[in-house]
Amino acid sequence: MDEASSSCAAGAVPAASDRVHEPAVAGDCVFSARGLTKVYRMGEVEVPALRGIDLELTAGELVVLLGPSGSGKSTLLNILGGLDTPTSGEVWYLDHQLTGATEQDLTRFRREHVGFVFQFYNLIPSLTARENVAAVTEIAEAPMRPEEALAMVGLGERLDHFPAQMSGGEQQRVAIARAIAKNPAVLLCDEPTGALDSQTGVVVLEALEKVNQTLGTLTVLITHNAGIAAMANRVIRLSDGHIVDIRANATRKAARELIW
Amino acid sequence: MRALDLKLFRDLWGMRGQVLAIAAVIMGGVATLVMSLSTYDSLVITRDRFYRDYRFADAFVNLKRAPESVAARLAAIPGVERVETRVRAGVKLEVEGFSDPITGLLFSLPDGAEPLLNTLHFKRGRWVQPDNADEVVVSDTFADAHRLNPGDKLSAIINGKRKALTIVGVAVSPEYVYQIAPGSMFPDFKRYGVLWMGRNALGAAYGMQGAFNNATLSLIPGTPVQDVIDRVDALLGTYGGTGAYARKDQFSNRFINEELNQLQIMATIFPAIFLGVAAFLLNVVVGRLVALQREQIAILKAFGYSSLAIGGHYVKLVMLVVLLGVAGGVALGAWFGQGLSNVYMETTFRFPYLDYRLEAGVMLIALAVSAVAAVSGTLFAVNRAIRLTPAEGMRAETPALYRTTVFERIGLQRWLTQPSRMILRNIERRPVKSLFTVFGIACACGLMMVGNYQKGAIDFMVDVQFRQASREDLAVTFIEPTGSRALHELQAMPGIRHVEGFRDVPAILRYQHYSYRSAIYGIQPAGELHRSLNAALKPIRIPPDGVVLTDHLAREILHVEPGDMLTIEILEGNRPVRQVPVLGITKQYLGVSAYMQQDSLNALLREGNVVSGAYLALDPGMESAVYAELHERPRVLGMIANAAAIKSFYATIGEFVLFYNMVASLLAGSIGFGVVYNSARLALSERGRELASLRVLGFTHGEIAYILLGELALLTLIAIPLGFLVGVGLCGILVLAFKNDLYRLPLIIEPSNYALGATVVVISALVSGLLVWYRLGRLDLVAVLKTRE
């Protein structure tokens, strides 16, 4: 396996439970996956989506999962985010084993530690920008103020607009603000620019970059757009359920310099 | 099978929960319609057939006594087809093992021939033999109540003499389909019976040989009945005729018609509400279902399907749901209809047979109303979807535009969590949808209350009638009006605590061109047993020298007010006509009456202190002794015991109440469930993605359920008080619809009825909520990350 993959030593899963609520320090291993497989059963056909993934993700890094559709990147992200369970293998978040956790535990895990950004923003149409963020901060333990989160993504001026009154890029930035407002350890973004034109996409990526740099949130970004990979610390390429290549960018481009 | 048809069945299967909920509501509406109309049709057809087959007379008259030769003169009246003269005798009956007073009416049967009119339908046994003077046929209600059969014995006190009788037949007469003792309020099959015996035998026992005191007539079709009645009255005046009356005024027939009239109103109001709600629900639900298929419609259009084909596809889909509901409704309605008809047959109408009929027209009405409602909702939504270009249709709808709600604008915002704001804004953004849901739930609540209203109203009527107004334990009538000495005799009897004499006389009351045939009751002005009540249901003192009328009689029938002068045509003796002022109005729910002071009535009749009977209060525990003693007194003709009458009445209506409650609960429940479940399911399909997103963001199952079910709970809570209003309104409609001279329903709704309405609504909401809760647990969280809709 590539040198860059061993940011944390294999098997060195943190065991001390007192670390659970402490913010992860840059370089600490946040996610650790061993031998992950996922097989979808569709009627009588078994479709393997993941075929043995070993992976560590460390605090503070920005990781791009790159691959064509069907490569398994979304399945991997869903498993990391506690939305799906692997068929075999195990996943650890800090010292919590996600594999085998109950539905309630997974819900709590998402609520306390994970921020999600969706391809289609998925804002609540009946809530304003501020309220969409507040919906999450109300159930979080030590959130930032919604206004703060929105200011960070450059929407300090559009607090009281409803989704229907905002552009796609603005809506996606509200979604990012909503994801980061609870100060999550992890930010998981599934094709966050997939529904946007490149110009707007860049603005959204800038917001993600800023969050990653100022808050040190481990950010995992799915894309099938190789151009975006240049902004990552590490780029993990998947194909057919395997990790084919993990590459660390020696020099990262700023989001604003990306073109696709 | 064509691909589109396959899609149709799969779509239906995919939304089977909703399909069933919608079908349930249609079923409720259709079932009510079919039940009421088929019962109505069946009873009308049965009545008409029975009247025709058993030659029910067109006119009736009672008189004191006329020689048989007068019959020919009656037959000679133009328009008269047949005349039958009879001996009619009020009797007291004795059945072994039953100590309560039984009164009866004994009619003569022609010797050796079937009656020309009002002939009998035999359930068991045979006609009487002319040679056997002790043979008697008894009415089936009486026979059944006492388990009497041919061969059993009973005795009758006819004209003061006890006569042993042998039952040879049990029969039904068109004249006494509905049997009620004169002066009584309710049917009491145990304590009142109609009997028939041979003319010679009864004539001998009653002192009516060669004479008659009752005649019935049939008329040549097309003859104006009033002309005949006038001539009969003119002819029989000298024979003590008390005024002939037409079939429409014949008591049993009148009651049947009132009851059928009531049934017809029920058959109109209730299905109208049910089908109305069902249609509305169907329209909205179908519209929203089709709207959810907008993308599919766009794809079909892109494939090149015509708008007509697409419209047809959705109409087909909806019609299948409608057919399912209508078929279920017709089946359920026919079942209920037979049940209801049987309850009627057992409790109210003693038709010898029942022609249960379910007319095709009824089913067509049900189908048409449901289909129009469903198809119009469908076409509206399909049309909206078709007008989009395919490309536009396939694009997701732009996010719905929301606004802050009134609650928030007035500053309540900071008290609301985001989920609560979502609830309020969603309700406010779709006011029509929310109103519809509220209205539908309210209708369910209201219907439930109507189903239960009658029981409470009847309790109230009975309380007013028997605990406030007619408080006597026993009403005794004498064979003929008699001096007040009879009262002293009664007062002296052991077991009788209090006696109040009364004088009653049949009379026709006239004011301008209005008239009503009734009786005038002369009662004691300061009586404690029999009292008149004012509008506030407080006892009033009857003023002297004038008449006090029941409100319904005064205002709705005669159109008189206190101060007006009433013309009274007495139907007794030499039938004097007098002018009497109306002095007051009294409140009464059962029957209508005219009251005077007894002295004033005596004076009006130019007679001394004469009474027709007495109201008695008995010492507790002495009832049987008093009955036995009175039974032996030859001058006592009839006895009516209130307590017994009330008890038997409740036994009768118990079955009705039970049946109506069952039907109402079932139907109200189906509407409540249909509305709530559909609202919830549609909300789930419309907002599933929103809720799944929240789940991804870390909201728990309970927290997202709060957003969806909280809205429904709020709407349900709003709907309950509104449902109370709907219920009161519907009961009010019943009160107006069922106003007649036999009874008026009071608008009394018991607290338990409100509670029941609310309970049914809450339960159906809870069941819907549980089903939705279960579905919320199965939201596909992964899908919302990628898919747009």
Side-chain angles (χ1 to χ4, degrees):
Chain A
M1 194 166 285
D2 200 285
E3 192 57 18
S5 70
S6 52
S7 301
C8 39
V13 173
S17 60
D18 57 345
R19 288 190 43 191
V20 177
H21 294 293
E22 288 172 19
V25 180
D28 283 357
C29 185
V30 177
F31 278 112
S32 153
R34 286 284 166 268
L36 277 191
T37 68
K38 177 72 186 180
V39 180
Y40 288 108
R41 214 171 297 274
M42 298 185 152
E44 295 176 2
V45 189
E46 293 194 341
V47 182
L50 296 178
R51 304 167 189 255
I53 300 276
D54 297 305
L55 182 68
E56 275 91 26
L57 300 175
T58 53
E61 65 175 337
L62 195 157
V63 178
V64 165
L65 291 181
L66 200 61
S69 48
S71 59
K73 54 190 190 313
S74 288
T75 307
L76 179 58
L77 192 84
N78 292 342
I79 292 173
L80 293 180
L83 294 174
D84 206 348
T85 49
T87 309
S88 68
E90 52 184 47
V91 184
W92 290 78
Y93 166 75
L94 301 179
D95 57 348
H96 291 268
Q97 192 173 3
L98 296 184
T99 34
T102 63
E103 174 57 37
Q104 280 96 322
D105 288 340
L106 289 178
T107 300
R108 219 181 62 214
F109 163 63
R110 293 198 301 271
R111 187 174 183 134
E112 289 170 3
H113 306 297
V114 187
F116 274 97
V117 177
F118 306 91
Q119 182 177 1
F120 295 106
Y121 340 130
N122 294 26
L123 296 182
I124 308 300
S126 57
L127 298 180
T128 61
R130 188 208 309 259
E131 290 165 343
N132 260 285
V133 179
V136 169
T137 58
E138 275 174 4
I139 61 166
E141 269 182 21
M144 55 177 93
R145 290 188 308 113
E147 295 78 6
E148 217 179 308
L150 284 162
M152 187 170 279
V153 296
L155 285 176
E157 306 299 309
R158 311 217 61 182
L159 297 173
D160 293 320
H161 287 68
F162 282 94
Q165 298 164 322
M166 290 186 280
S167 71
E170 286 171 330
Q171 290 186 53
Q172 191 59 301
R173 283 187 283 152
V174 174
I176 294 170
R178 181 175 66 176
I180 60 163
K182 63 175 143 186
N183 282 317
V186 194
L187 189 56
L188 301 178
C189 317
D190 196 345
E191 299 269 14
T193 58
L196 300 171
D197 59 72
S198 65
Q199 236 174 332
T200 320
V202 166
V203 178
V204 166
L205 291 175
E206 277 182 317
L208 286 174
E209 183 179 55
K210 184 173 172 196
V211 167
N212 175 250
Q213 283 168 3
T214 51
L215 302 178
T217 313
L218 163 61
T219 306
V220 182
L221 201 154
I222 282 189
T223 182
H224 57 265
N225 189 334
I228 293 174
M231 70 182 281
N233 292 108
R234 289 197 293 159
V235 181
I236 302 176
R237 279 162 31 98
L238 282 98
S239 173
D240 209 13
H242 295 287
I243 293 180
V244 290
D245 162 45
I246 301 183
R247 176 169 51 87
N249 282 328
T251 50
R252 293 168 59 191
K253 276 194 182 170
R256 126 178 70 80
E257 300 168 71
L258 299 176
I259 342 158
W260 67 85
Chain B
M1 192 180 279
R2 289 169 51 221
L4 217 48
D5 289 335
L6 267 178
K7 167 182 175 320
L8 191 123
F9 285 112
R10 295 206 181 124
D11 281 354
L12 279 175
W13 182 248
M15 50 190 195
R16 54 193 178 276
Q18 271 168 286
V19 166
L20 284 181
I22 299 170
V25 176
I26 302 176
M27 207 163 89
V30 171
T32 334
L33 181 84
V34 168
M35 172 187 82
S36 317
L37 285 184
S38 70
T39 302
Y40 177 75
D41 287 346
S42 305
L43 289 173
V44 166
I45 288 168
T46 304
R47 175 196 65 188
D48 292 347
R49 186 177 141 201
F50 182 50
Y51 280 0
R52 192 185 59 240
D53 292 354
Y54 290 83
R55 302 191 290 279
F56 185 41
D58 294 312
F60 305 79
V61 63
N62 289 318
L63 52 147
K64 194 128 188 147
R65 180 194 179 95
E68 191 56 37
S69 57
V70 175
R73 289 164 64 193
L74 282 174
I77 293 173
V80 171
E81 186 186 45
R82 284 184 204 154
V83 174
E84 180 139 76
T85 61
R86 296 187 295 188
V87 175
R88 173 185 182 272
V91 296
K92 287 181 281 187
L93 299 171
E94 292 168 359
V95 174
E96 210 173 285
F98 189 78
S99 63
D100 283 7
I102 309 173
T103 53
L105 202 50
L106 194 43
F107 280 104
S108 66
L109 291 169
D111 286 317
E114 260 197 46
L116 295 170
L117 298 171
N118 308 312
T119 188
L120 303 180
H121 171 93
F122 277 84
K123 291 218 153 159
R124 299 186 285 279
R126 57 164 173 84
W127 294 98
V128 295
Q129 301 279 345
D131 319 334
N132 300 339
D134 70 329
E135 288 187 354
V136 69
V137 175
V138 302
S139 56
D140 69 329
T141 47
F142 183 72
D144 292 350
H146 289 284
R147 300 173 189 284
L148 295 173
N149 280 303
D152 290 342
K153 312 265 183 203
L154 78 167
S155 359
I157 297 178
I158 307 172
N159 219 5
K161 289 187 290 271
R162 179 175 283 106
K163 186 170 171 63
L165 299 170
T166 304
I167 296 169
V168 296
V170 172
V172 189
S173 159
E175 221 179 339
Y176 290 96
V177 174
Y178 185 83
Q179 293 185 14
I180 194 165
S184 185
M185 294 294 174
F186 308 115
D188 186 344
F189 299 149
K190 274 201 145 131
R191 294 170 189 80
Y192 181 70
V194 180
L195 300 84
W196 295 267
M197 61 191 284
R199 175 78 178 258
N200 274 333
L202 184 57
Y206 200 58
M208 280 276 171
Q209 281 125 321
F212 65 94
N213 65 352
N214 169 278
T216 57
L217 299 85
S218 67
L219 307 184
I220 294 163
T223 311
V225 67
Q226 192 55 47
D227 292 359
V228 175
I229 284 173
D230 291 344
R231 283 164 187 267
V232 168
D233 283 350
L235 177 62
L236 295 182
T238 48
Y239 301 103
T242 56
Y245 51 93
R247 187 192 270 196
K248 73 172 170 52
D249 291 321
Q250 201 265 349
F251 190 82
S252 161
N253 179 54
R254 203 154 67 91
F255 196 89
I256 291 172
N257 291 348
E258 268 323 324
E259 200 74 26
L260 287 175
N261 184 23
Q262 172 179 339
L263 190 59
Q264 199 183 17
I265 292 165
M266 300 278 273
T268 320
I269 297 177
F270 284 87
I273 295 167
F274 265 106
L275 276 182
V277 172
F280 193 24
L281 181 67
L282 202 58
N283 194 298
V284 173
V285 168
V286 163
R288 291 169 75 187
L289 270 183
V290 175
L292 280 177
Q293 297 228 342
R294 160 194 150 98
E295 241 175 291
Q296 293 197 33
I297 293 175
I299 290 167
L300 290 175
K301 260 183 86 177
F303 287 167
Y305 280 98
S306 70
S307 302
L308 198 69
I310 297 171
H313 169 69
Y314 284 100
V315 166
K316 236 194 260 179
L317 182 133
V318 166
M319 280 307 292
L320 279 176
V321 182
V322 168
L323 281 176
L324 187 70
V326 171
V330 167
L332 193 66
W335 187 51
F336 281 166
Q338 273 174 26
L340 183 60
S341 303
N342 283 330
V343 172
Y344 267 113
M345 291 287 287
E346 275 160 33
T347 56
T348 315
F349 307 130
R350 303 298 288 211
F351 293 126
Y353 43 73
L354 176 73
D355 263 351
Y356 184 77
R357 222 48 96 71
L358 177 54
E359 308 274 348
V362 175
M363 290 184 266
L364 284 180
I365 294 173
L367 184 62
V369 174
S370 314
V372 165
V375 169
S376 62
T378 311
L379 290 181
F380 181 72
V382 169
N383 189 37
R384 221 174 28 184
I386 281 175
R387 268 188 285 123
L388 300 171
T389 60
E392 216 180 322
M394 277 185 277
R395 215 173 296 142
E397 282 189 82
T398 44
L401 185 60
Y402 283 83
R403 296 186 311 147
T404 47
T405 60
V406 176
F407 289 103
E408 301 168 75
R409 288 197 290 277
I410 60 173
L412 296 175
Q413 187 156 16
R414 60 206 157 104
W415 306 107
L416 300 171
T417 61
Q418 307 312 319
S420 301
R421 292 180 199 192
M422 289 169 70
I423 291 175
L424 288 181
R425 288 179 194 172
N426 210 52
I427 290 176
E428 202 180 272
R429 191 177 77 86
R430 307 278 291 272
V432 175
K433 190 212 85 184
S434 307
L435 265 180
F436 153 72
T437 306
V438 166
F439 177 72
I441 300 171
C443 278
C445 177
L447 283 166
M448 192 62 222
M449 287 172 62
V450 175
N452 259 288
Y453 156 72
Q454 294 195 29
K455 168 87 171 71
I458 289 168
D459 283 346
F460 184 82
M461 281 161 78
V462 165
D463 183 73
V464 169
Q465 186 73 30
F466 295 110
R467 289 185 192 93
Q468 316 290 331
S470 312
R471 306 196 302 166
E472 68 272 9
D473 296 316
L474 194 65
V476 172
T477 48
F478 302 130
I479 280 190
E480 55 186 6
T482 181
S484 59
R485 258 191 52 163
L487 299 180
H488 298 302
E489 285 174 31
L490 286 173
Q491 185 73 70
M493 270 174 57
I496 296 182
R497 191 159 45 83
H498 185 66
V499 176
E500 273 174 31
F502 66 87
R503 172 74 167 109
D504 68 340
V505 62
I508 295 174
L509 313 177
R510 292 188 199 281
Y511 181 71
Q512 293 170 355
H513 62 281
Y514 304 107
S515 72
Y516 187 75
R517 187 191 162 93
S518 173
I520 298 175
Y521 286 86
I523 61 175
Q524 304 309 315
E528 282 175 19
L529 298 181
H530 211 83
R531 314 187 296 189
S532 285
L533 308 176
N534 63 12
L537 302 178
K538 294 276 173 286
I540 52 168
R541 202 188 147 87
I542 304 278
D545 303 319
V547 62
V548 171
L549 302 176
T550 306
D551 50 356
H552 183 78
L553 178 59
R555 303 212 164 102
E556 310 284 333
I557 300 177
L558 295 172
H559 301 90
V560 291
E561 283 296 324
D564 291 338
M565 194 60 92
L566 203 62
T567 304
I568 295 183
E569 195 181 322
I570 305 287
L571 299 174
E572 199 185 88
N574 54 359
R575 300 178 61 169
V577 176
R578 307 263 193 266
Q579 303 287 316
V580 179
V582 176
L583 296 183
I585 303 283
T586 165
K587 184 83 197 159
Q588 195 171 321
Y589 294 110
L590 286 165
V592 295
S593 310
Y595 296 102
M596 293 181 77
Q597 285 196 5
Q598 188 209 320
D599 298 349
S600 308
L601 182 57
N602 286 148
L604 193 74
L605 297 171
R606 313 271 195 267
E607 63 187 14
N609 188 2
V610 166
V611 292
S612 324
Y615 301 117
L616 308 181
L618 306 183
D619 290 325
M622 293 294 285
E623 290 88 353
S624 299
V626 173
Y627 295 158
E629 174 63 28
L630 288 174
H631 192 71
E632 296 300 326
R633 307 252 166 151
R635 296 234 302 242
V636 171
L637 172 65
M639 292 179 267
I640 290 169
N642 274 340
I646 297 174
K647 225 191 271 171
S648 80
F649 171 69
Y650 272 107
T652 310
I653 65 160
E655 251 186 280
F656 262 112
V657 168
L658 216 64
F659 187 84
Y660 270 111
N661 281 2
M662 182 190 80
V663 172
S665 318
L666 214 70
L667 299 183
S670 76
I671 281 204
F673 174 75
V675 172
V676 179
Y677 182 70
N678 270 302
S679 298
R681 271 303 277 117
L682 281 169
L684 186 56
S685 9
E686 286 167 354
R687 301 172 63 191
R689 203 172 97 94
E690 187 177 315
L691 299 174
S693 302
L694 288 174
R695 283 286 279 135
V696 171
L697 294 177
F699 279 65
T700 60
H701 188 173
E703 282 163 344
I704 59 162
Y706 167 72
I707 296 171
L708 194 66
L709 299 180
E711 182 181 331
L712 283 172
L714 187 59
L715 293 178
T716 305
L717 282 182
I718 296 170
I720 288 175
L722 193 72
F724 292 161
L725 284 180
V726 172
V728 172
L730 290 176
C731 294
I733 293 175
L734 285 191
V735 167
L736 290 180
F738 295 161
K739 230 171 169 182
N740 60 56
D741 52 340
L742 296 174
Y743 58 90
R744 275 85 46 203
L745 293 173
L747 189 51
I748 295 292
I749 297 173
E750 295 178 324
S752 64
N753 199 354
Y754 288 104
L756 195 73
T759 305
V760 165
V761 164
V762 168
I763 287 177
S764 48
L766 281 179
V767 171
S768 314
L770 271 175
L771 289 173
V772 170
W773 167 272
Y774 169 72
R775 294 201 69 111
L776 279 174
R778 297 189 309 168
L779 279 179
D780 187 351
L781 304 191
V782 172
V784 300
L785 292 174
K786 283 286 184 192
T787 54
R788 174 134 213 170
E789 278 297 15

